[in-house]
Amino acid sequence: MTIPHRDKSDETRAPEVLALEALGWALVDERRAERLLSLTGLTPERLRHGIGERSVQAAILEFLANHEPDLISAADALGTTPEALIAAHRSLSA
């Protein structure tokens, strides 16, 4: 799966959009996907049925925030900044 690169100066994406994009990025790699489920406590079923919930979206971004290499890689792949992902996490956690 290829995620289109966006201009990093475009930080107008909603936190929910960034969370969904981050989930797509995380699930591309099987080991990362397994680590996401393990560390967040989410199950594939919970992801499918709860992806529209702020708490699930926040958990996805928290997963990235807690592992800087993934945070940086995800930001690069999504055409955003680590700071934007952290801000999105804070917004969804509020």
Side-chain angles (χ1 to χ4, degrees):
M1 176 170 135
T2 303
I3 299 172
H5 281 47
R6 292 194 170 99
D7 181 4
K8 290 184 181 187
S9 65
D10 177 23
E11 297 299 337
T12 59
R13 286 180 276 173
E16 298 84 359
V17 171
L18 284 173
L20 293 174
E21 291 176 345
L23 176 60
W25 175 83
L27 295 179
V28 170
D29 180 89
E30 186 176 336
R31 289 178 60 204
R32 187 182 308 119
E34 289 175 9
R35 199 169 75 247
L36 169 75
L37 296 177
S38 174
L39 293 176
T40 62
L42 295 169
T43 63
E45 183 174 306
R46 177 74 174 115
L47 276 175
R48 276 191 296 278
H49 298 292
I51 194 58
E53 297 175 18
R54 292 175 66 88
S55 62
V56 172
Q57 296 165 358
I60 293 162
L61 293 173
E62 183 176 12
F63 166 76
L64 294 178
N66 288 330
H67 188 65
E68 188 175 6
D70 280 348
L71 177 66
I72 292 168
S73 293
D76 185 53
L78 300 174
T80 191
T81 64
E83 294 82 9
L85 292 172
I86 297 296
H89 172 255
R90 287 186 185 129
S91 175
L92 292 168
S93 296

